[in-house]
């Protein structure tokens, strides 16, 4: 059975009686970047009567044996790589939340108003929305490792500067530099997941990524409060220097380049020291010693890879590269759902410290501890949502196959019900979030026991984190060729939305009270339900009319 035009032709050099030299042009014309497996490309009719179901391809017995994997990395290596990227992504959230307990001490120590110190939070959020537009484009065009090196350099330098400075302009400027470096790590981590994971395993890895960021949400204020109370606020940033510096060294030693435009499935050796980890260099040298016995030291594929190696010149990042993502209906809907939940969650957690101190009379360390329920719930929500996404994806593929005579379906088809599959359960999660926000506002209004307030934070933290996992996985699926750029677009919208939600929080509480304020936020969150319905209903049609990438 024919598989279409994407089937790799057998190299002439592998056929009896054919010389290797005559086969190179044919081989080069059929191999691009050594994808994980030759994808079956089907020809879909443009007739309006064509089916909207995924198009069946060859049955398993017709499949070519020993298909190459999507990535050469083992399952263990994929999880380790994801953990390294997730821990780096955590620094954006950690650098933000660890700062909250230090606001009053910084104001007192530097002799400035609390309003001016809070301005450094606003500036941090603004840069966190803008900087990933640059970093994401760089990560998608120049590779993951060079961008990580740049981002870690900015973060470490900024943390050292903040710990040593004594002027407000320096504090404001360095906080923006800190944000510029750390915020891009979140989008880069999504790009790494897209590089190494197939659709059926992507949800679990995204869950691991969001688990780390949710841990930072809860642990950040606890660490900040404890360090400030014991050693002073400057030691918060010395702590960040030690933590980020240590992880930077680990990344330099072990983290491989994963950008598929540069290394393909991971088997292509990139040129330039910046793309190669210390571990990969040592491992490759050992492999080269073992393969000395091959003819001329190279196989036919090795010759192709040698010709594919080219130096990638630096291109100044284009911050407008994320605009095509926002212009895509499906991607925009996912981003808006994410932004709504993120903005409301930011408002809830910003209010928690002030309300806990004012209503319940907690000290700085105790006020930091009240963030734990939301963070713990978010960690569980992210982890189990990721597992559910992978399970549901495999179940959907199996169900569609069984409904059509056991034939395998092309999961990369524009007709695959991707949006409905990835967002299954989102209505339940949104309902829990809405009810949790309303309950939180009522608990503050009637000064209920602290346990009630924290229970509402636990519910909203769990449901919003699970929603982020669903939406983050879907956004990566929809933008496989520019996953980091897509997350930069999402970051831009959600950070600006969060900045606005936090800015109007206190005036709203003073004007309509906590119950009315969070009732409004609950109403805003409810908007995500019809958005999710529209995405599940019209998502397939939007992908056919606005193709952004090829495959998931």
């Amino acid at each position: 059975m024919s598989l279409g035009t994407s089937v790799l032709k057998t190299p002439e050099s592998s056929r009896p009686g054919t010389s290797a030299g005559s086969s190179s042009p044919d081989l080069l014309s059929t191999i691009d970047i050594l994808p994980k497996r030759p994808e079956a490309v089907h020809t879909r009719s443009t007739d309006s009567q064509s089916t909207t179901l995924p198009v069946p391809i060859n049955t398993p017995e017709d499949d070519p044996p020993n298909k190459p994997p999507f990535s050469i990395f083992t399952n263990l290596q994929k999880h380790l790589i994801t953990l390294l990227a997730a821990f780096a992504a955590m620094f954006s959230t950690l650098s933000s939340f660890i700062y909250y307990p230090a606001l009053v001490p910084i104001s007192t120590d530097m002799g400035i108003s609390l309003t001016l110190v809070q301005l450094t939070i606003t500036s941090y959020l603004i840069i966190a929305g803008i900087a990933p537009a640059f970093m994401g484009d760089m990560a998608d065009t120049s590779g993951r490792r060079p961008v990580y090196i740049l981002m870690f350099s900015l973060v470490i330098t900024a943390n050292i500067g903040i710990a040593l400075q004594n002027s407000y302009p320096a504090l404001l400027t360095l906080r923006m530099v800190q944000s510029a470096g750390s915020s891009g790590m979140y989008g880069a981590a999504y790009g790494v997941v897209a590089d190494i994971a197939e659709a059926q395993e992507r949800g679990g890895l995204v869950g691991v990524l969001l688990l780390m960021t949710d841990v930072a949400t809860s642990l950040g204020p606890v660490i900040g409060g404890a360090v400030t109370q014991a050693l002073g606020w400057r030691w918060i940033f010395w702590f960040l220097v030690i933590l980020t510096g240590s992880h930077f060294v680990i990344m330099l030693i072990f983290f491989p380049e994963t950008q598929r435009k540069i290394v393909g499935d991971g088997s292509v050796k990139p040129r330039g020291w910046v793309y190669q980890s210390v571990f990969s260099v040592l491992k490759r040298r050992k492999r080269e010693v073992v393969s000395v016995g091959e003819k001329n030291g190279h196989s036919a594929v090795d010759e192709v890879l040698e010709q594919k190696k080219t130096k990638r010149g630096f291109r100044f990042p284009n911050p407008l590269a994320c605009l095509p993502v926002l212009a895509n209906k499906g991607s925009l809907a996912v981003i808006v759902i994410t932004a709504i939940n993120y903005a409301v969650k930011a408002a809830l957690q910003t209010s928690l410290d002030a309300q806990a101190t004012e209503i319940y009379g907690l000290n700085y360390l105790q006020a930091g501890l009240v963030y734990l329920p939301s963070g713990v719930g978010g960690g569980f929500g992210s982890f189990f949502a990721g597992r559910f996404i992978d399970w549901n994806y495999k179940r959907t593929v199996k169900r569609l196959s069984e409904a059509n005579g056991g034939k395998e379906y092309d999961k990369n088809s524009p007709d695959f019900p991707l949006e409905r599959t990835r967002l299954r359960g989102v209505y339940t999660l949104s309902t829990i979030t809405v009810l949790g926000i309303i309950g939180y506002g009522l608990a503050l209004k009637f000064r209920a026991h602290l346990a009630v307030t924290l229970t509402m934070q636990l519910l909203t933290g769990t449901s919003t984190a699970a929603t982020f996992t669903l939406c983050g996985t879907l956004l990566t699926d929809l933008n496989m060729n520019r996953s980091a750029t897509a997350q930069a677009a999402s970051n831009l919208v959600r950070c600006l939305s969060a900045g606005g939600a936090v800015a109007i929080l206190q005036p709203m509480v003073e004007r309509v009270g906590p119950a009315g304020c969070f009732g409004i936020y609950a109403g805003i969150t409810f908007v995500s339900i019809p958005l999710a319905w529209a995405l599940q209903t019209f998502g397939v049609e939007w992908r056919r009319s606005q193709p952004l990438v090829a495959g998931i």
Side-chain angles (χ1 to χ4, degrees):
M1 181 179 293
S2 174
L3 297 180
T5 58
S6 67
V7 177
L8 298 180
K9 300 178 181 178
T10 305
E12 295 294 338
S13 58
S14 65
R15 300 172 187 168
T18 308
S19 64
S22 62
S23 66
S24 297
D26 183 57
L27 189 59
L28 285 174
S29 66
T30 56
I31 296 182
D32 185 12
I33 55 171
L34 290 185
K36 167 180 91 173
R37 66 174 184 273
E39 298 289 350
V41 177
H42 59 277
T43 302
R44 188 168 54 84
S45 173
T46 57
D47 188 357
S48 60
Q49 301 300 319
S50 60
T51 180
T52 58
L53 290 175
V55 178
I57 57 174
N58 53 305
T59 57
E61 58 270 19
D62 293 328
D63 289 341
N66 301 322
K67 287 183 179 179
F70 181 78
S71 172
I72 65 169
F73 298 110
T74 65
N75 191 49
L76 175 61
Q77 289 173 329
K78 290 177 182 179
H79 280 83
L80 292 176
I81 292 171
T82 302
L83 281 175
L84 289 176
F87 198 85
M90 180 188 69
F91 292 132
S92 176
T93 307
L94 182 65
S95 299
S96 177
F97 279 82
I98 201 173
Y99 187 68
Y100 289 164
L103 298 181
V104 174
I106 290 175
S107 173
T108 303
D109 186 43
M110 300 184 66
I112 56 179
S113 68
L114 186 59
T115 302
L116 287 177
V117 181
Q118 290 175 335
L119 184 61
T120 63
I121 298 178
T122 303
S123 63
Y124 185 97
L125 286 173
I126 292 174
I127 298 301
I130 297 174
F134 291 86
M135 299 298 182
D137 183 55
M138 289 177 62
D140 282 338
T141 56
S142 301
R144 314 300 185 197
R145 278 182 59 88
V147 175
Y148 271 121
I149 292 173
L150 172 62
M151 292 187 295
F152 271 104
S153 300
L154 290 175
V155 170
I156 294 171
T157 301
N159 286 327
I160 294 174
I162 295 174
L164 297 174
Q165 59 75 39
N166 290 295
S167 69
Y168 176 72
L171 174 64
L172 182 65
T173 302
L174 289 170
R175 278 286 287 174
M176 290 190 286
V177 175
Q178 182 192 42
S179 178
S182 62
S183 59
M185 296 183 186
Y186 185 79
Y190 272 98
V192 171
V193 171
D195 293 337
I196 64 176
E198 287 189 274
Q200 61 266 27
E201 59 184 348
R202 199 171 296 144
L205 297 183
V206 170
V208 172
L209 167 59
L210 291 176
L211 169 64
M212 297 298 294
T213 57
D214 281 308
V215 167
T217 300
S218 59
L219 290 184
V222 177
I223 296 172
V227 171
T228 299
Q229 192 163 321
L231 301 173
W233 67 268
R234 293 182 186 275
W235 269 97
I236 287 177
F237 299 97
W238 287 122
F239 170 80
L240 289 175
V241 169
I242 295 171
L243 192 62
T244 55
S246 300
H247 193 62
F248 184 32
V249 172
I250 294 174
M251 294 282 282
L252 287 176
I253 295 175
F254 296 106
F255 190 80
E257 177 59 56
T258 62
Q259 170 57 262
R260 298 185 71 84
K261 297 176 184 177
I262 298 175
V263 298
D265 62 357
S267 61
V268 181
K269 177 183 175 182
R271 283 193 174 185
W273 64 269
V274 72
Y275 294 109
Q276 303 179 48
S277 66
V278 176
F279 182 78
S280 66
V281 171
L282 296 177
K283 187 176 180 180
R284 186 170 283 113
R285 286 180 178 176
K286 182 178 179 180
R287 189 183 304 136
E288 288 173 355
V289 172
V290 174
S291 61
V292 161
E294 293 187 16
K295 182 180 179 180
N296 298 325
H298 295 283
S299 64
V301 173
D302 291 330
E303 294 177 3
V304 175
L305 296 180
E306 289 295 330
Q307 298 181 47
K308 291 291 292 181
K309 292 185 219 170
T310 56
K311 287 190 175 182
R312 303 180 67 86
F314 175 79
R315 180 179 69 80
F316 190 80
N318 178 17
L320 301 181
C322 65
L323 293 183
V325 178
L326 296 176
N328 181 269
K329 294 178 183 178
S331 296
L332 179 61
V334 178
I335 289 172
V336 172
I337 294 172
T338 304
I340 289 174
N341 283 270
Y342 184 82
V344 173
K345 181 176 182 178
L348 259 68
Q349 298 204 309
T350 301
S351 71
L352 186 58
D353 181 81
Q355 296 297 329
T357 303
E358 178 183 347
I359 297 176
Y360 303 105
L362 306 181
N363 60 32
Y364 292 128
L365 179 57
Q366 292 171 331
L369 290 172
V370 298
Y371 286 88
L372 284 175
S374 177
V376 171
F380 278 105
S382 300
F383 180 81
F384 287 108
R387 294 297 180 269
F388 172 77
I389 289 172
D390 288 345
W391 170 81
N392 187 55
Y393 182 89
K394 295 173 183 176
R395 184 185 69 162
T396 301
V397 172
K398 181 179 180 181
R399 178 173 54 83
L400 290 173
S401 176
E402 291 176 349
N404 290 268
K407 292 185 177 181
E408 182 181 348
Y409 273 90
D410 185 358
K411 299 180 290 292
N412 296 322
S413 169
D415 298 317
F416 185 78
L418 181 62
E419 293 79 6
R420 187 174 297 277
T421 302
R422 291 304 199 195
L423 294 182
R424 186 174 298 277
V426 70
Y427 303 135
T428 301
L429 294 173
S430 297
T431 301
I432 293 174
T433 302
V434 169
L435 295 177
I437 295 171
I438 294 174
Y440 178 74
L442 292 174
L444 294 179
K445 178 181 180 180
F446 295 107
R447 296 178 178 266
H449 192 276
L450 181 60
V452 178
T453 303
L454 297 185
T455 299
M456 296 300 106
Q457 285 278 342
L458 174 65
L459 289 175
T460 56
T462 304
S463 58
T464 54
T467 302
F468 295 152
T469 305
L470 267 61
C471 292
T473 305
L474 177 57
L475 186 62
T476 301
D477 290 338
L478 295 176
N479 299 273
M480 279 296 295
N481 291 346
R482 46 174 49 183
S483 50
T485 302
Q487 292 301 327
S490 178
N491 209 62
L492 173 64
V493 177
R494 71 185 181 93
C495 284
L496 294 181
S497 300
V502 171
I504 66 175
L505 172 64
Q506 192 58 35
M508 286 178 61
V509 171
E510 294 174 355
R511 180 68 62 90
V512 298
C517 172
F518 290 105
I520 294 174
Y521 282 131
I524 295 174
T525 305
F526 185 81
V527 175
S528 62
I529 295 179
L531 278 175
W533 175 84
L535 189 56
Q536 288 187 325
T537 304
F538 304 108
V540 172
E541 180 182 340
W542 290 345
R543 267 189 291 132
R544 287 203 301 263
S545 62
Q546 290 184 298
L548 190 61
V549 296
I552 59 173

